[in-house]
């Protein structure tokens, strides 16, 4: 968060870095990540969500710098910085609809960890508008920092809440629980099947 606040301001985010250090750390981490992956893949596409209630324009600035640097360094890496609240991409028989879960301007309450009828309708309308019914659809989101993979609520799409990469803040640990952080690694096969390997960080 810029100046330790959310995009809409007035909501303090506990942070141990100033703006400059956060920028340097984010830039260095993403470069290190791509440098580690680049030798092992013939093509890499990075899809960065840049419309959210935390990083906002700051997140876009970091990812824009990444795009300029990485696409110059590697001819087989593409960086897409997504500025829409909801967007999607296709891979074989799979469709991935992406969102942070809450935007930087309008939504006071974003997509919930467990969908309600209004949110199901919103996702269904997006699928209809973009004519995506012929694909195996995953609606992917963050925001709530909870790992919940729901493949039952809808017959049309899977609803995946991804965990946070960073540890829970002191406020979250004090008011709720210790929490968890990590990332999810998927291999998608041509027939639409997928192999899932989750990774959970250990921290104090």
């Amino acid at each position: 968060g810029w100046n330790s606040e959310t995009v809409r301001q007035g909501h303090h985010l506990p942070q141990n870095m100033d703006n400059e250090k956060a920028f340097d750390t984010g830039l260095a981490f993403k470069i290190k990540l791509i440098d580690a992956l680049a030798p092992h893949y013939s093509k890499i596409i990075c899809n960065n969500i840049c419309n959210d209630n935390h990083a906002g324009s700051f997140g876009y600035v970091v990812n824009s710098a990444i795009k300029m640097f990485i696409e110059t360094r590697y001819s087989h890496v593409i960086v897409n910085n997504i500025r829409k609240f909801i967007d999607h991409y296709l891979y074989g028989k799979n469709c991935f609809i992406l969102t942070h879960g809450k935007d930087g301007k309008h939504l006071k309450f974003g997509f919930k960890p467990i969908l309600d009828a209004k949110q199901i309708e919103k996702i269904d309308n997006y699928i209809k508008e973009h004519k995506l019914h012929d694909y195996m659809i995953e609606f992917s989101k963050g925001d709530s920092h909870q790992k919940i993979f729901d493949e039952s609520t809808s017959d049309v799409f899977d609803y995946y809440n991804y965990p946070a990469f960073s540890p829970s803040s002191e406020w979250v640990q004090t008011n709720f629980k210790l929490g968890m952080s990590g990332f999810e690694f998927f291999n998608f096969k041509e027939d639409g099947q997928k192999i899932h390997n989750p990774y959970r960080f250990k921290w104090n």
Side-chain angles (χ1 to χ4, degrees), residues 171-200:
W171 183 87
V172 169
Q173 293 183 48
T174 301
N175 287 277
F176 298 98
K177 59 182 181 178
L178 185 64
M180 58 87 70
S181 61
F183 63 91
E184 310 296 317
F185 192 92
F186 288 90
N187 265 322
F188 290 86
K189 304 300 182 179
E190 290 183 0
D191 63 359
Q193 296 297 311
K194 58 191 174 187
I195 300 171
H196 178 203
N197 293 298
Y199 186 92
R200 183 168 178 172

Side-chain angles (χ1 to χ4, degrees), residues 75-108:
S75 60
H76 67 300
V77 180
I78 298 170
V79 178
N80 298 321
N81 293 326
I82 300 167
R83 300 182 67 185
K84 297 178 182 178
F85 172 52
I86 301 176
D87 207 347
H88 70 275
Y89 68 92
L90 306 175
Y91 175 72
K93 297 179 180 179
N94 299 282
C95 171
F96 300 90
I97 304 176
L98 309 175
T99 183
H100 173 70
K102 191 182 293 179
D103 71 341
K105 185 177 181 181
H106 298 291
L107 286 177
K108 184 176 182 181

Side-chain angles (χ1 to χ4, degrees), residues 63 65 71 96 114:
N63 286 312
E71 289 185 350
F96 300 90
I114 306 298

Side-chain angles (χ1 to χ4, degrees), residues 14-47:
Q15 293 181 181
N16 60 0
M17 290 183 281
D18 58 19
N19 296 333
E20 292 80 4
K21 183 63 176 175
F23 176 87
D24 291 342
T25 301
L27 191 71
F29 167 76
K30 290 205 166 192
I31 291 173
K32 185 175 181 179
L33 176 66
I34 298 301
D35 282 346
L37 294 173
H40 303 288
Y41 295 93
S42 60
K43 185 176 183 180
I44 297 174
I45 302 174
C46 304
N47 293 303

Side-chain angles (χ1 to χ4, degrees), residues 6-192:
T6 61
V7 171
R8 298 170 202 180
Q9 302 180 339
H11 179 184
H12 179 72
L13 300 172
Q15 293 181 181
N16 60 0
M17 290 183 281
D18 58 19
N19 296 333
E20 292 80 4
K21 183 63 176 175
F23 176 87
D24 291 342
T25 301
L27 191 71
F29 167 76
K30 290 205 166 192
I31 291 173
K32 185 175 181 179
L33 176 66
I34 298 301
D35 282 346
L37 294 173
H40 303 288
Y41 295 93
S42 60
K43 185 176 183 180
I44 297 174
I45 302 174
C46 304
N47 293 303
N48 299 310
I49 302 298
C50 300
N51 185 342
D52 67 285
N53 61 316
H54 276 193
S57 296
F58 187 27
Y60 177 80
V61 168
V62 173
N63 286 312
S64 181
I66 289 292
K67 179 178 176 65
M68 292 181 185
F69 178 83
I70 288 297
E71 289 185 350
T72 300
R73 174 176 280 194
Y74 296 110
S75 60
H76 67 300
V77 180
I78 298 170
V79 178
N80 298 321
N81 293 326
I82 300 167
R83 300 182 67 185
K84 297 178 182 178
F85 172 52
I86 301 176
D87 207 347
H88 70 275
Y89 68 92
L90 306 175
Y91 175 72
K93 297 179 180 179
N94 299 282
C95 171
F96 300 90
I97 304 176
L98 309 175
T99 183
H100 173 70
K102 191 182 293 179
D103 71 341
K105 185 177 181 181
H106 298 291
L107 286 177
K108 184 176 182 181
F109 303 104
F111 282 97
K112 300 175 182 178
I114 306 298
L115 285 169
D116 60 27
K118 183 178 179 181
Q119 293 177 333
I120 292 172
E121 182 182 10
K122 186 177 182 67
I123 297 171
D124 281 338
N125 287 338
Y126 183 94
I127 292 169
K128 291 175 184 175
E129 178 184 351
H130 295 277
K131 298 178 175 60
L132 301 173
H133 281 102
D134 292 335
Y135 296 93
M136 300 174 65
I137 300 171
E138 176 188 316
F139 188 92
S140 316
K141 67 167 282 287
D143 187 44
S144 56
H145 297 199
Q146 299 178 61
K147 176 182 173 179
I148 303 174
F149 291 170
D150 178 1
E151 299 179 348
S152 302
T153 298
S154 171
D155 292 331
V156 178
F157 60 88
D158 294 336
Y159 186 67
Y160 282 13
N161 293 264
Y162 282 92
F165 195 81
S166 60
S168 301
S169 68
E170 183 180 3
W171 183 87
V172 169
Q173 293 183 48
T174 301
N175 287 277
F176 298 98
K177 59 182 181 178
L178 185 64
M180 58 87 70
S181 61
F183 63 91
E184 310 296 317
F185 192 92
F186 288 90
N187 265 322
F188 290 86
K189 304 300 182 179
E190 290 183 0
D191 63 359

